[in-house]
Amino acid sequence: MQKIVLIDYGSGNLRSAQKALVAAAASLDGSFDICASDDPEVIAAADRLVLPGVGAFAACMRALGERTGVIEAMTEAVQQGAKPFLGVCVGMQLLAERGLEFGQTQGLGWVSGEVRPLTPSDPHCKIPHMGWNALEEMTDHPLLRGLEVGAHMYFTHSYALFPSDPADVVAQVDHGGRFTAAVAKANVAGVQFHPEKSQSAGLRLLANFLEWRP
Amino acid sequence: MLKVRVIPCLDVKDGRVVKGVNFLALRDAGDPVEQARAYDAAGADELMFLDITASHEGRGAILDVVSRTAEVCFMPVSVGGGIRAVEDARRLLRAGADKISINTSAVENPGLLSDAADAFGSQCVVVAIDAKARPDGSGWEVFTYGGRKATGLDVIDYAVSAVKRGAGEILLTSMDRDGAKNGYDTALLRAITGAVNVPVIASGGAGSCADLVAGVRDGGADAVLAASIFHFGEVSIGEAKAAMRAAGLPVRPI
């Protein structure tokens, strides 16, 4: 039995992400216990962690920091325990060293780079980047197994993570210029899109995460 | 490249569908969740629930609908109707909604859009605008309370101010065309899509695949919303997308 813990810090997409993980787990052999928690002990004991997130970088980082011991427990599980970790949308952006939404805010710093506003070169490309868009420049990372180039995912955001090391980028997306759709560095991964809202392609990615052995 | 979204809209009253799919043999056609599943399976890009519950006591029902939908449908869901405060929005988002659509309260309480955008981000906040052409041809006027109350506000000015206050998307309904099935008001759409830089959803008047195409090609809409043509099976989601693809518009394959 693998214990999957979604970090509960009041994020709006927590419930959807949890339900989607349950559905993804049902497609796999293996047995998974999927729960949401803000208890540092539960987080420390997890086999895998998922950090959801919607809204503004600063507000999410603040909400996370207000839960006593949560960031410490996450950090220990990820850095000492080498537990697989998935950040979703703003949960992915929080992996960066800093975010530039509503002033500069320090992030978790697990992926080098910063979160900046999208600035599409094509004036027809609107902000927020909202809707279904195709993955491009995909690597053969295990999280993307079974997903073809051009797989559509649901995005809704105005800021994106710009990693300093291109090797951390495992998929991109184009909206008046390419930017990061998915990052992965050792046992830490993040997706800018919402797999929990991306129908079968999204469930596939979540199933891949549940099977990922970094 | 971002794809044009096809969005079926379900009217829900006291937790039951009052306007929805009626051409499929659904076990319980009044159950919004069954309807949502049908559209999920058909390849809809997003789903809109419009809560038309009149009584305050009945408001809890939509929360149950949203949370049960989130258990079985892994697609974006927007909810509109009766959202008067940030707390109403928070409950819906926590239940599993991705976006909340605010209409009358956005006019009557100008701080609501910015409060909601501060709390949840602009990408969660849709301003729904009911527009009616002025008889003298000088543009369009904003109406509230389901089209019953004239506000005196100009639709273009209002749309621009709503975006400034934090709306991340506009659901633009032409009252003149709503239910008439003779096409979206593409002049109205063009006026708004030319004035703001957030996505605009065309609503009101779609009667055919050609209307859906025109909403995007001529109106500049980023998404097309329709109710009856989908519910009555006149146009399937697949046919809508095929028609748009044939017209050269980018759509997500089903």
Side-chain angles (χ1 to χ4, degrees), chain A residues 15 126 132-133 197 199, chain B residues 1 40 45 74 98 222:
Chain A
R15 184 187 158 78
K126 300 180 178 180
W132 295 84
N133 207 335
K197 293 292 171 179
Q199 295 179 331
Chain B
M1 182 188 226
D40 189 18
D45 296 310
F74 304 105
D98 300 281
D222 301 274

Side-chain angles (χ1 to χ4, degrees), chain A residues 72-126:
Chain A
E72 293 79 358
M74 277 166 49
T75 306
E76 185 167 335
V78 167
Q79 295 188 337
Q80 278 84 54
K83 303 288 170 58
F85 180 100
L86 180 68
V88 173
C89 195
V90 179
M92 173 248 218
Q93 296 181 358
L94 296 179
L95 298 174
E97 292 164 293
R98 60 194 163 273
L100 303 181
E101 188 173 5
F102 298 119
Q104 181 166 317
T105 310
Q106 196 182 344
L108 294 168
W110 299 348
V111 172
S112 303
E114 61 185 23
V115 174
R116 297 198 299 264
L118 290 175
T119 50
S121 57
D122 178 348
H124 293 103
C125 290
K126 300 180 178 180

